[in-house]
């Protein structure tokens, strides 16, 4: 059961504890922080260090932009920030700063640019339409398992050249690496899963060095930074980053999208009848889902915010879960409005580390919306969904749905 947390409880809410998010609706808590404590101290708890919490949209954007006072190189999510650092620091894009980040980002941007992804986007379209059509024909499915579990993993795997027979295995690892619906899976299991992903890619990288293909791994294997070829470890860490970054976030967004539309038939009808542009709808789906609840930084130079002095070495967390509901920026932030413009949501972050996979993620969500629009007249959730347990990601791991077919749309040839 979800407990509504009132303003009185702000000092007892521990944002480091995954159970906090599974068991509480934090809407009132976030609003109180935004209004009264925009730089809030989450005290040490459960053996974890304390950390700062930024909740206002404007402050989150400013912190994302500021790579002088803040660094990503000691981790960029609570689990690594609190765990003493990230093993990929200075080598994996998300936890590298400065000129090396800039150069590495150029390499990854090249492989994730709209032009290069043209072919991948076509595959996303074909697969999504096929899977939605099959689910509609069969009357329903567990959308989380049978569709959302397949779209991003298939996409990112074909981009990386991961063989089809390994994808199921990798999916189970990425699920265990970041979040789980199972209380019995702890941090040790997650760490083992993360290591297994790294070992898996180590083998593939060796293979591609011997016989390169036209996939992203082969391209990374052949890339250099400042004239020095990327090492196997560098390639592996960035593959890890792409698979982790590219799978779960998009999957959770799609699940949230279908769940939210099923509960709001009036918004669904606006989409179905072409009253809202698909691209505009995609942004609202992202704002609403905000699948990554936070990212974080470490303070490198003393800096002041709203009269609070942040000291070098301290952890600062930036909460999309709150910034994307900030009434200072969004009109009626608690309303899911597929026609919302402007929509300056923070789902992809901001500044130098802005999500490098945002185009791909948007293609996946847009194709989902279009397939639903074309092949169904509506859909409903048929049983409760299971929330995941994480202090980083939010969403559901199951979503049983029943689809009503749109027979005229189904007749069309893609
Ligand atoms: C960075 C969110 C999809 C790969 C980020 C950041 C956010 C984010 C908030 C900034 C992290 C920071 O500043 O520390 C999302 C969401 C997605 C999504 C919500 C889907 C709905 C993807 C996809 C890929 C990807 C599909 C890969 C194909 C990355 C990478 C970075 C990143 C490599 C690091 C960029 C850098 O540090 O320069 N993502 N992401 N993401 N994302 Fe995504």
């Amino acid at each position: 059961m979800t407990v509504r947390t009132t303003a009185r409880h702000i000092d007892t809410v521990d944002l480091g504890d995954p159970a906090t998010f599974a068991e509480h609706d934090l809407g009132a808590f976030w609003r109180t922080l935004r209004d009264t404590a925009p730089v809030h101290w989450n005290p040490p708890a459960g053996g974890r260090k304390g950390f700062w919490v930024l909740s206002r949209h404007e402050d989150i954007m400013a912190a994302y932009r500021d790579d002088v006072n803040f660094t990503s190189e000691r981790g960029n999510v609570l689990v690594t920030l609190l765990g003493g650092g990230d093993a990929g620091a200075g080598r994996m894009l998300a936890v590298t700063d400065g000129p090396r980040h800039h150069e590495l980002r150029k390499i990854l941007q090249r492989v994730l640019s709209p032009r290069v992804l043209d072919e991948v986007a076509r595959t996303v379209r074909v697969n999504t339409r096929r899977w939605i059509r099959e689910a509609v024909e069969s009357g329903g499915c567990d959308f989380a398992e049978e569709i959302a579990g397949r779209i991003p993993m298939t996409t990112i795997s074909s981009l990386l050249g991961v063989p089809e027979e390994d994808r199921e295995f990798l999916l189970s690892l990425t699920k265990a690496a970041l979040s789980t619906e199972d209380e019995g899976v702890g941090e040790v299991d997650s760490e083992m899963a993360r290591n297994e992903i790294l070992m898996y890619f180590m083998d593939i990288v060796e293979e591609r060095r011997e016989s390169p293909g036209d996939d992203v791994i082969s391209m990374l294997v052949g890339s250099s930074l400042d004239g020095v070829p990327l090492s196997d470890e560098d390639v592996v860490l960035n593959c890890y980053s792409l698979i982790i970054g590219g799978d779960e976030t998009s999957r959770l967004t799609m699940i949230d999208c279908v769940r939210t539309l099923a509960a709001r038939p009036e918004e669904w009808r606006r989409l179905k009848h072409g009253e809202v542009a698909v691209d505009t709808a995609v942004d609202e789906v992202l704002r609403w889902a905000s699948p990554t609840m936070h990212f974080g930084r470490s303070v490198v130079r003393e800096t002041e915010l709203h009269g609070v002095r942040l000291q070098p070495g301290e952890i600062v967390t930036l909460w999309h879960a709150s910034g994307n509901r900030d009434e200072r920026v969004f009109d009626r932030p608690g309303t899911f409005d597929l026609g919302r413009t402007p929509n300056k949501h923070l789902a992809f972050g901001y500044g130098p580390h802005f999500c490098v996979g945002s185009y791909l993620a948007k293609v996946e969500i847009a194709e989902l919306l279009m397939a639903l629009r074309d092949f169904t007249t509506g859909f409903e959730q048929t049983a409760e969904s299971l929330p995941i347990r994480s202090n980083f990601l939010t969403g559901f791991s199951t979503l049983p749905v029943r689809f009503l077919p749109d027979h005229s749309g189904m007749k069309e040839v893609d």
Side-chain angles (χ1 to χ4, degrees), residues 90-123:
R91 300 195 295 167
M92 188 162 83
L93 187 69
V95 285
T96 300
D97 282 331
R100 191 171 168 87
H101 171 257
H102 187 70
E103 291 305 308
L104 191 54
R105 191 171 162 100
K106 278 204 288 200
I107 297 177
L108 284 166
Q109 260 171 338
R110 223 181 298 137
V111 296
L112 292 171
S113 72
R115 195 176 46 80
V116 175
L117 287 180
D118 203 41
E119 184 58 39
V120 175
R122 250 193 308 278
T123 314

Side-chain angles (χ1 to χ4, degrees), residues 289-309:
S290 296
T292 53
M293 288 189 289
H294 78 270
F295 272 97
R297 302 289 187 257
S298 297
V299 180
V300 279
R301 291 191 200 169
E302 184 176 310
T303 175
E304 192 181 312
L305 186 59
H306 297 295
V308 178
R309 294 209 155 273

Side-chain angles (χ1 to χ4, degrees), residues 21-55:
F21 305 92
E23 291 160 14
H24 297 265
D25 171 354
L26 296 177
F29 166 79
W30 288 126
R31 193 183 183 124
T32 306
L33 288 199
R34 287 193 298 271
D35 288 346
T36 64
V39 186
H40 168 68
W41 177 249
N42 190 101
R48 293 176 291 267
K49 284 204 295 190
F51 52 89
W52 295 108
V53 174
L54 305 190
S55 49

